[in-house]
Amino acid sequence: MIIVSATSQVAVSRRRELVGRPMKRAEDPKFLRGAGRYLDDVTMEGTAWASFVRSPHPHARIVSIDASGARAHPGVLLAMTQEDLSGKVEDMPTEKDDQKVKYTRRPVLAQGEANYEGEAVAVVVASDRQAAEDASELVEVVYDPLPAVTDPVRALERGSPRVHGDLGDNLAYEYSIETPGFDEIFGKADRVVSASFLNQRIAPVPLEPRGVLSHYDPGTGALTVHLGCQDPFSARDTLARMLRLPKPSVRVVSPDVGGAFGSKISTYPEEVVVSFAAILLRRPVKWTESRRENILTTTQGRGQVQRVEAAVRKDGRLLALKVSIVADSGAYSTSEAVFGPRVTPQICSGNYDFGAIKAELKCAFTNKVPHDAYRGAGRPEASYLIERTMNVIAGKLKLDPVKVRQVNFIPADRFPFQIVTKRFTYDSGDYEKNLSKAVEVADYEGLRGLQRRGREQGRLFGVGVATYVEVCGFGPTFPQTASVAVTEEGKVVVNSGGNPHGQGHATPFAQIAADELGIEASDVYVRYGDTASLPYGTVTAGSRSAAVGGSAVLVCARRIRDKMAAIAARMMDTDADVEFRDGRVHSRGSKSVAFAEVASAAYDPGRLPRGMEPTLFEYSAFVPKSNTFPFGSHICLVEVDRETGRVDVLKYVAVDDCGRILNPLLAEGQVMGGMAQGLGQALMEELSYDEGGQLLTATLADYGIPTAMSVPGMSWHTTETPTDANPLGVKGIGEAASIASTPAIVNAVEDALSQHGAVIERLPLTPEYVWQLLNRAPPS
């Protein structure tokens, strides 16, 4: 788009008024009225329903599948196995390009073998949901059960059952980091502190399970897929490739998404099968999963066994760290299953400055649904490893856990700072200032006094501290897109390449655009979730939406502003500075013109500066110069019941530094939600399997998640450390509390049990496990 030289002659200013305000979410009224539109609310005339036949075994040879009974059932339109898809639909994506990864073929429907409980082996499509579900029970599958393995450590042992018989073992991927001269630095320790931690596998459990509705237009060859997801553009590309369709003929539309937490990034087999069925039947086909299907077959997160040896001095100074991690990748070598855990050793040095690291990661195949991102994706596991280690160091050396952290922090004057793993360079930070604020607002000394008085009364109070740093943005790898247009009547339309699933992007994006253009946020309309709106977009994950997506909106809005400034200057016959505020464009002096009038002029070629094209539209694919590294300190108080082992979280204080905050109200909401999820992992959530590999916690009657009664009140505070990684100065906040809260709570419980000499090695801290720790040894 051509902008004439008048733009450079006219200086532009505007008053920042909206960014930084705690504005209520623009999306909330429709949800409060029950007017949200989720996947299950999307209906089409003539919609057929799909139901999947799933393996009841964690590992079995598929001897035969007979779908004739299902095909004969009233209302059945289609019944398919992988045999019906072969040669017409590509396999599900798994990692092929990295020679260190063992390739595993993953058919859309299991063929030959079922490798985890719940893996789909057939599908039935019928005129209504009940008919489809009834008919799916008539599909006769003969299985020959095979030995299964669900423990990733056991999976790597010689003689373990193999998930894939054609592979020599269950090692899916191996990765290592070692500082030159590690042994020499490690050998200088006054003491070596060792610890083992289980970071258990957990289910994302979004409020809305997965679902898909696909419609094919045979006249145009267009496939429209309604899909609640985190990355509509990636889903479009994957579906087009797998169904052998041109990308322009596939459109993905994401309605409101009821939570995701990483589990709706990847494309699933059900989405491919339903779309293929819609093409075959020339009618809409829909599927939504049950909660049992969700826990069984939606990707799961965490799942690491961590062993640490820390070389330390007597004063708590960390010299070197030796780390061994076994990650539970699940049944297939999908990209996130093998590369997601790699983030853990890469950033497990946390907030600390020490000399050397030796880290080894082994990803193991198991008979489980593939591992994938779950809120934080490798970074919570890293923070848990280092923060639990710092707590154990403090306990073994009888030092205060705050002081142990302070003596090891990266100094504020050392940024930008390349960490010991050499995989990341932190942009900015002041960890000492942040922790000091947390100590102050939490009344750390007062909590210690309460603990001492409680012990005199036989009560077990514990104080937990956790600091964290995480990598966010991921913009250099995945730019984010946006477009901004201004209509003739002066309304602003923002299209975002990201797709929120509860975060509330519409409000801060409107704040950004409104500030730049000097208008009210109510005059900004934010759209997302439709691949027809933009040529390209990327994933909403990694706490990147404000830093990368918001910056894309900012870039577009500034370009729009510059063009409108040139138009307004011509309309006011001035070359003086102009200012956008209060819905008008003002020149120096008394002249001004309404924003809407300038917008109208932009569509009239006769009113434009020479050489300028009509309309107001800008597009940006924003690429930041680097990632961002938000950080923080969380402190909590717990009480442990001596008789039952029950843990109550009594107080929780979070001090986060996420750079500039666009909307404090939304940011605090993200922290509250993340804290609740971290608490769930610490105290109750666990995917448990029996000896044969059957999942024992496949319903919400067995799989515990936090309720309002479980979550304590939270006191949230901030520090602000500038970053130049993006023009907004934003770092990210969406995953912060889910990273910090688990180690903070576990450290608090361990502190409460410190007189009993207990060291917590596994999660969750169920009353039974805590009671066992209490009664394992007499008080010291």
Side-chain angles (χ1 to χ4, degrees):
M1 185 174 290
I2 298 172
I3 300 179
V4 296
S5 58
T7 304
S8 60
Q9 294 172 350
V10 179
V12 180
S13 63
R14 70 273 177 273
R15 290 183 181 174
R16 282 201 182 278
E17 296 180 343
L18 298 177
V19 168
R21 284 192 193 178
M23 295 180 65
K24 293 182 179 179
R25 299 196 329 168
E27 304 95 322
D28 284 348
K30 73 173 183 179
F31 295 127
L32 292 172
R33 295 195 306 266
R37 193 165 185 260
Y38 298 94
L39 187 281
D40 209 37
D41 297 315
V42 181
T43 59
M44 290 184 177
E45 186 176 351
T47 296
W49 282 82
S51 178
F52 287 85
V53 180
R54 301 185 181 279
S55 170
H57 304 284
H59 197 195
R61 185 174 296 108
I62 301 171
V63 178
S64 64
I65 305 176
D66 182 359
S68 59
R71 293 187 178 105
H73 191 271
V76 169
L77 306 170
L78 191 67
M80 295 188 295
T81 68
Q82 181 61 30
E83 296 296 328
D84 301 295
L85 304 181
S86 296
K88 302 167 187 173
V89 177
E90 300 293 333
D91 288 340
M92 298 298 299
T94 55
E95 188 58 42
K96 292 182 179 180
D97 298 331
D98 193 316
Q99 296 301 310
K100 294 181 180 179
V101 178
K102 286 193 177 77
Y103 167 71
T104 53
R105 177 176 176 250
R106 187 186 185 189
V108 181
L109 297 173
Q111 185 179 39
E113 279 187 12
N115 291 312
Y116 60 90
E117 184 184 3
E119 186 170 16
V121 300
V123 64
V124 175
V125 182
S127 55
D128 60 72
R129 185 171 192 166
Q130 192 61 57
E133 292 179 352
D134 288 346
S136 67
E137 296 181 5
L138 300 176
V139 176
E140 297 181 1
V141 186
V142 178
Y143 297 97
D144 179 12
L146 298 170
V149 60
T150 57
D151 182 332
V153 173
R154 180 173 171 244
L156 296 179
E157 294 174 353
R158 182 175 295 179
S160 169
R162 282 181 287 175
V163 177
H164 300 279
D166 58 330
L167 301 179
D169 53 38
N170 289 320
L171 180 63
Y173 175 68
E174 196 168 12
Y175 176 80
S176 62
I177 301 170
E178 183 170 353
T179 303
F182 171 84
D183 290 339
E184 180 181 355
I185 297 171
F186 195 88
K188 295 178 180 179
D190 294 330
R191 182 169 179 176
V192 174
V193 175
S194 301
S196 298
F197 312 119
L198 169 64
N199 204 296
Q200 82 276 34
R201 236 196 200 221
I202 52 180
V205 197
L207 186 63
E208 177 198 31
R210 293 185 294 123
V212 59
L213 169 61
S214 295
H215 168 66
Y216 181 71
D217 184 342
T220 63
L223 175 69
T224 301
V225 181
H226 297 267
L227 176 66
C229 65
Q230 296 176 236
D231 191 352
F233 291 89
S234 175
R236 175 200 64 186
D237 296 350
T238 302
L239 288 169
R241 182 186 63 79
M242 294 188 64
L243 297 171
R244 302 177 179 180
L245 296 172
K247 282 185 188 179
S249 69
V250 180
R251 178 187 180 191
V252 172
V253 180
S254 182
D256 293 324
V257 182
F261 314 118
S263 69
K264 296 176 183 176
I265 297 175
S266 298
T267 301
Y268 286 83
E270 293 89 350
E271 296 152 14
V272 179
V273 172
V274 166
S275 298
F276 183 63
I279 294 172
L280 291 180
L281 295 173
R282 304 297 200 259
R283 64 187 288 180
V285 179
K286 189 174 187 178
W287 169 78
T288 57
E289 70 179 353
S290 67
R291 181 57 66 185
R292 178 177 172 80
E293 285 179 304
N294 176 262
I295 296 178
L296 267 176
T297 68
T298 292
T299 57
Q300 300 161 356
R302 309 292 188 260
Q304 292 186 7
V305 179
Q306 305 169 335
R307 294 185 173 88
V308 181
E309 293 179 53
V312 296
R313 289 181 178 159
K314 294 177 182 178
D315 63 356
R317 189 78 170 89
L318 179 61
L319 301 180
L321 201 64
K322 185 183 295 184
V323 175
S324 174
I325 300 170
V326 175
D328 185 346
S329 289
Y332 295 101
S333 51
T334 58
S335 179
E336 187 63 29
V338 291
F339 295 148
R342 190 170 61 183
V343 177
T344 301
Q346 290 177 340
I347 201 169
C348 70
S349 57
N351 307 60
Y352 308 114
D353 178 16
F354 56 93
I357 189 168
K358 183 176 183 180
E360 177 188 66
L361 166 71
K362 292 184 178 181
C363 293
F365 289 122
T366 59
N367 291 111
K368 299 178 184 175
V369 67
H371 168 279
D372 211 303
Y374 174 65
R375 199 169 188 170
R379 292 157 289 159
E381 297 91 319
S383 284
Y384 189 81
L385 183 153
I386 189 64
E387 289 306 299
R388 291 288 298 116
T389 299
M390 299 306 279
N391 214 61
V392 174
I393 290 171
K396 296 293 185 183
L397 300 182
K398 301 189 182 306
L399 298 172
D400 186 280
V402 169
K403 297 189 184 305
V404 169
R405 287 165 172 81
Q406 289 172 328
V407 78
N408 285 290
F409 275 155
I410 301 165
D413 60 3
R414 295 277 303 279
F415 292 89
F417 183 85
Q418 186 181 54
I419 61 175
V420 67
T421 65
K422 308 300 183 186
R423 297 309 188 268
F424 295 110
T425 297
Y426 294 172
D427 53 352
S428 62
D430 192 337
Y431 305 150
E432 172 65 37
K433 175 184 175 182
N434 183 270
L435 179 56
S436 294
K437 184 170 183 177
V439 166
E440 177 187 351
V441 297
D443 186 17
Y444 182 74
E445 292 304 322
L447 297 180
R448 288 299 183 193
L450 173 66
Q451 182 183 43
R452 288 191 293 271
R453 293 190 298 273
R455 284 177 174 172
E456 292 171 0
Q457 301 167 6
R459 299 176 70 179
L460 297 175
F461 291 108
V463 182
V465 179
T467 62
Y468 75 92
V469 63
E470 59 163 326
V471 54
C472 292
F474 304 100
T477 307
F478 300 105
Q480 191 53 284
T481 61
S483 70
V484 174
V486 183
T487 67
E488 291 177 83
E489 66 266 37
K491 303 300 182 183
V492 176
V493 179
V494 174
N495 275 294
S496 171
N499 192 45
H501 36 280
Q503 296 92 336
H505 291 172
T507 306
F509 286 178
Q511 290 174 266
I512 292 168
D515 264 358
E516 292 300 316
L517 300 174
I519 60 175
E520 294 297 323
S522 58
D523 288 324
V524 181
Y525 298 79
V526 180
R527 298 172 178 170
Y528 41 76
D530 188 343
T531 60
S533 66
L534 292 168
Y536 172 65
T538 58
V539 66
T540 295
S543 303
R544 65 194 304 266
S545 294
V548 191
S551 293
V553 173
L554 179 72
V555 168
C556 292
R558 286 180 174 174
R559 291 173 184 167
I560 291 283
R561 188 192 67 209
D562 289 346
K563 183 172 182 178
M564 293 186 73
I567 298 170
R570 186 176 190 274
M571 294 172 69
M572 292 184 287
D573 192 24
T574 181
D575 60 0
D577 297 350
V578 300
E579 181 181 13
F580 286 67
R581 58 179 167 83
D582 303 325
R584 301 185 69 82
V585 184
H586 301 260
S587 71
R588 188 181 302 159
S590 59
K591 288 184 178 181
S592 72
V593 61
F595 181 86
E597 190 176 344
V598 179
S600 179
Y603 287 82
D604 184 349
R607 301 175 68 187
L608 299 178
R610 185 183 300 275
M612 181 179 285
E613 293 182 354
T615 73
L616 292 169
F617 175 83
E618 292 292 341
Y619 168 82
S620 172
F622 178 75
V623 182
K625 72 175 191 177
S626 66
N627 295 320
T628 61
F629 295 86
F631 59 92
S633 305
H634 290 208
I635 297 177
C636 73
L637 173 71
V638 305
E639 183 174 11
V640 176
D641 187 293
R642 285 184 179 274
E643 300 301 321
T644 66
R646 174 188 167 93
V647 176
D648 287 311
V649 181
L650 305 178
K651 182 176 184 178
Y652 197 97
V653 173
V655 180
D656 296 300
D657 195 313
C658 54
R660 185 176 175 216
I661 298 175
L662 302 183
N663 186 314
L665 185 64
L666 272 65
E668 185 175 9
Q670 289 294 300
V671 175
M672 291 179 68
M675 184 267 283
Q677 285 185 289
L679 179 148
Q681 181 178 9
L683 300 182
M684 59 194 72
E685 296 190 46
E686 183 177 28
L687 291 159
S688 299
Y689 296 82
D690 67 14
E691 292 183 0
Q694 295 282 339
L695 182 61
L696 301 175
T697 52
T699 72
L700 292 181
D702 305 300
Y703 186 88
I705 59 173
T707 66
M709 296 295 291
S710 316
V711 180
M714 184 189 73
S715 177
W716 185 57
H717 306 265
T718 62
T719 58
E720 184 175 324
T721 305
T723 179
D724 62 357
N726 58 76
L728 285 168
V730 171
K731 288 195 170 189
I733 192 64
E735 296 156 308
S738 62
I739 292 171
S741 57
T742 304
I745 292 168
V746 174
N747 286 345
V749 175
E750 188 170 84
D751 183 58
L753 306 182
S754 59
Q755 289 185 308
H756 293 256
V759 174
I760 294 169
E761 295 186 340
R762 65 177 176 87
L763 297 176
L765 303 183
T766 61
E768 178 186 16
Y769 176 48
V770 175
W771 186 88
Q772 290 173 352
L773 291 173
L774 269 169
N775 291 276
R776 188 173 293 171
S780 58

